[in-house]
Amino acid sequence: SVIRFLPNVLSADECQYFRTFKQHVPWTDPIINNLCYDISEIAAINTADPAYARIETRKEGHPWHTDKGTKGHMQWCTFAASILLSHPDEFAGGRYQTRSKFAPIEQGMMVLTSSDVEHKVHKHSGDRTVLLMFFT
């Protein structure tokens, strides 16, 4: 299992830029492309279909799961990355938690995990927006 907390992978301006996306983020975006290059230095990732990147603002959070999917619907997923786009002052709750630790809540920080890491996201109020990337 791989769990890495990488601070400041995006600037505040880059976080704001991604918050303008409605949902889907193309792999061809130059910032995404640079992120993927940096991630590839840590983990063997691929952006081939069905891999995808998207923006999420899910107030109800996520129960305990792995990124292969609780019903096995994402067996193709090998690694996942989550980057907090909101500033922590904009929301309450929303902590990312693995079975062993909570992630710090920092704007622009990435949580990179292998898809076998069980984790959850606590419900929140306010505006908690994240960029999610799921790799093959």
Side-chain angles (χ1 to χ4, degrees), residues 5-127:
F5 301 111
L6 306 164
N8 304 313
V9 298
L10 292 179
S11 69
D13 286 345
E14 290 168 328
C15 288
Q16 192 57 41
Y17 163 74
F18 282 113
R19 291 172 77 175
T20 66
F21 284 73
K22 296 297 177 214
Q23 193 169 31
H24 174 76
V25 180
W27 292 120
T28 55
D29 180 276
I31 299 171
I32 291 287
N33 200 280
N34 287 338
L35 284 171
C36 288
Y37 177 79
D38 292 342
I39 294 167
S40 73
E41 298 287 309
I42 300 167
I45 60 164
N46 193 318
T47 58
D49 192 52
Y52 65 93
R54 69 181 174 97
I55 304 300
E56 184 176 88
T57 58
R58 187 179 161 118
K59 290 192 182 296
E60 66 272 22
H62 289 277
W64 287 107
H65 68 285
T66 68
D67 287 325
K68 291 213 180 274
T70 53
K71 295 180 177 60
H73 64 283
M74 288 176 49
Q75 288 298 310
W76 51 264
C77 184
T78 57
F79 284 91
S82 174
I83 303 173
L84 180 61
L85 302 177
S86 303
H87 189 278
D89 292 344
E90 297 178 80
F91 64 94
R95 297 286 308 252
Y96 178 102
Q97 179 182 2
T98 67
R99 290 290 186 183
S100 59
K101 61 181 104 174
F102 282 104
I105 297 179
E106 299 172 19
Q107 184 180 40
M109 185 194 79
M110 177 190 296
V111 179
L112 175 66
T113 62
S114 50
S115 60
D116 62 340
V117 173
E118 193 175 20
H119 60 280
K120 72 183 283 184
V121 178
H122 295 261
K123 67 181 179 176
H124 72 277
S125 60
D127 183 11

